[in-house]
Amino acid sequence: MSGLIQKLQRQEGVSRRDVVVGATLVGGALLVGCSPADLMSAGSKVEPGAFGPFIQFDPDGAVTVLSKHIEFGQGNHAGLAAIVAEELDADWSRVKVVHAPANAKLYGNTTAGIQLTGGSSAISNSWEQLRKAGAGARAMFVQAAATRWNVPVDQITVRDGVVSGGGKSAGFGDLIADAAKVTPPENPTLKDPKTFTLIGTDRVRRKDSLIKSNGTARYTQDVQLPDMLVAMVAHAPRFGARVKSFNGDDAKKVAGVVDVYEIPTGVAVVADTTYAARMGREALKIEWDEGKAETRSSATIAQQWRDIAAGKGPADLQWQAFDSKGDAAAASAGKGAQVFETTYDFPYLAHATMEPMNCVAIVDGAKVKLIHGSQAQTLDQMNAAKIVKTLPGSVEIETLFAGGSFGRRANFQSDYVAECVTIAQKVGHGRPVKLIWTREDDMRAGYYRPLIHHAVRVTLDKDGYPATWRHRIVTQSIMKGSPVKAKGPDQTAIEGAAGSPYLKATPIVDAQLALPEGGVPVLWWRSVGATHTAFVMEHTIDQLALKAGKDPIAYRRALYAKAGAHRHLAALNLAVEKAGPAAAAGFTRGVAVHESFGSVVAQIAEVKLIDGEPRVGRVVTAIDCGLAVAPDQVAAQVEGGTCYGLSAALYGEITLTDGRVDQSNFDTYRVLRMNEAPTVETHIVPSGNPPSGVGEPGTPVIGPAVANALLALSKTPTNRLPFVRAET
């Protein structure tokens, strides 16, 4: 979900419109002078401790790091804790991590003051912040020890949580009271990265492995509160439909059902147990108003997108240029052997998280408490406050672990959270309500990676390299519902194409984006725009190399040199080196290189066909992610991202028939099985740059690497995904 984070980080400041947005969310009273961060913290009791908002010390000297970022499987808590521990010189075995409370003023990680996790930004966004927090706390302990022992500050040392000097020593716990009285330094001295002893080592391992293995880690589904009710919602079978009428009499006859409510997104059944809520939902009789519903099939939408790219779309549809330069007419002119034209189609994709959507809400007058795996605490606060007509700061959030997200748990409407708050408000009396979505609910009534079409036309120069590049992208806009509007094209649709070294190396570029309206709810999906742009750019490059009669690796090297893409070249060279001279017997190699979320990933995939389906045996990855805080976690995320991307490229596809989603669970939405997973080798490009993204950059590269292997094998390009089409 890079779009929102990166757009907000690029804002020069909070605009007047942001203030109006906040005012609208609290019922229309214009709160002059209040920024969104102020509104988020209004009414909040959260205050930073003596050592700041990110670090707490136990009396026994143990260190607790408060993470503003959710942990939903990506392992970021290990890296975040290591940053603090390194600068603090803490005992790594005595460092733990907890989720920070929802408070945008303290924990907002964008210029506009929004607290959320996404865009592979947890480590990079917190890097300087947590280094200063750790170094500042260390300086406070050093000063406290120096004062107590009457020893010069420069003679005090700290190692593994023990402060020493003048022949004396004390643990953090012994010095807490004195250190808390020291004024924190505004600009503490940070370590030279060359002196790091923890960061960048294999000692930085996950802190949550044990509790997630023995079942003591707390997820939303584990929450049990006195007098709590369970709710399920019957959603419309078509997007955009609304309840016309319903009869809940039979539902109320189900043992355990407490009540039935109409809410904006459907009909909710509230019961004592999950089973009763589900049986009550099945007993509902609902008539839907489909006057504004999406009734097109996905095949129809795909054809409409193709027509738009071919210039046959609505006259009022606006095109937005990006990376365009030179004579645009030249990119459409010319015929003959030196012209290459192709199109690509990408389907809707489900996030398919292991833990479907859920939330616990308690509404007591103007006070709201949410207990769930909140990926975007500020958005959840804003949307809950709008429903209850209170200040966002009056919405308390207890963030729990979550079983995956891939962007699904963070959308502008907080859809399932808003449902839970609405139901809890109807129940009233401060009674807790746990909303549960089934797999089928999320597969058929959730949000999706958009359906996308690309049309590419390239003319080659006398040496076989791009002379002109014409590019058209047609898709729905993910950012349409954003509370903050950025100028220019929707970056979530073009990232990966925009800024590509291949376009930089091409003298004439005519690249444009069209964003037609669609009734299917769309959202960022792991690696967002790169999910399709990486495939288009990398598979096109291999086809151009084939047309020019050149080796695809040498072809890339030449373009990278021309574009000054040194990081791409370094990653490619490392992947080639580590892959070795030849593929395993019976396998063919394909290569792809792509930059996303500030990191460059090069992959070489070894592929063969089994019963007509691609099977990937080995993937060699080189990643330039700046300084790798936790190398083991970098490798884990590359492996997971590769398998997630391979799963989508091989099988992922959400289709609609007359507006209804065809898939419902993993029996119809096929995913990669364990026996199909490749061996993934990860190599990190040495770098002195600050950390950049890791959670998502491994996802978009594997698809084109496989496509390029198949191109080398059969000389047949891949123009649509998935590789393996479900039987219809």
Side-chain angles (χ1 to χ4, degrees), residues 337-338 340 460-466 540-556 558 711 715:
Q338 292 300 97
F340 170 82
L460 304 180
D461 63 20
K462 61 181 180 60
D463 296 317
Y465 296 103
T540 295
I541 286 299
D542 260 49
Q543 292 176 74
L544 295 178
L546 180 64
K547 188 176 183 65
K550 298 180 182 292
D551 174 76
I553 292 175
Y555 195 80
R556 283 176 173 79
L711 180 68
K715 302 299 185 288

Side-chain angles (χ1 to χ4, degrees), residues 605-616:
E606 298 186 356
V607 184
K608 67 178 178 180
L609 291 174
I610 298 180
D611 297 328
E613 294 187 6
R615 178 64 60 89
V616 184

Side-chain angles (χ1 to χ4, degrees), residues 181-264:
K181 298 174 184 177
V182 176
T183 301
E186 289 188 12
N187 295 296
T189 301
L190 303 180
K191 287 185 177 181
D192 183 336
K194 295 178 182 178
T195 67
F196 286 163
T197 60
L198 177 63
I199 287 176
T201 72
D202 59 8
R203 292 172 55 210
V204 185
R205 296 296 182 111
R206 297 182 67 128
K207 293 286 185 178
D208 57 0
S209 297
L210 178 61
I211 59 173
K212 287 184 175 180
S213 299
N214 63 21
T216 58
R218 194 163 176 247
Y219 292 81
T220 307
Q221 203 66 15
D222 299 317
V223 176
Q224 298 295 330
L225 300 174
D227 207 28
M228 186 177 74
L229 296 173
V230 177
M232 283 192 170
V233 176
H235 297 102
R238 290 187 173 94
F239 301 111
R242 293 291 180 263
V243 176
K244 184 175 183 180
S245 65
F246 77 96
N247 187 318
D249 292 345
D250 289 344
K252 292 179 181 179
K253 294 177 183 177
V254 174
V257 169
V258 174
D259 214 336
V260 178
Y261 304 106
E262 180 180 342
I263 63 175

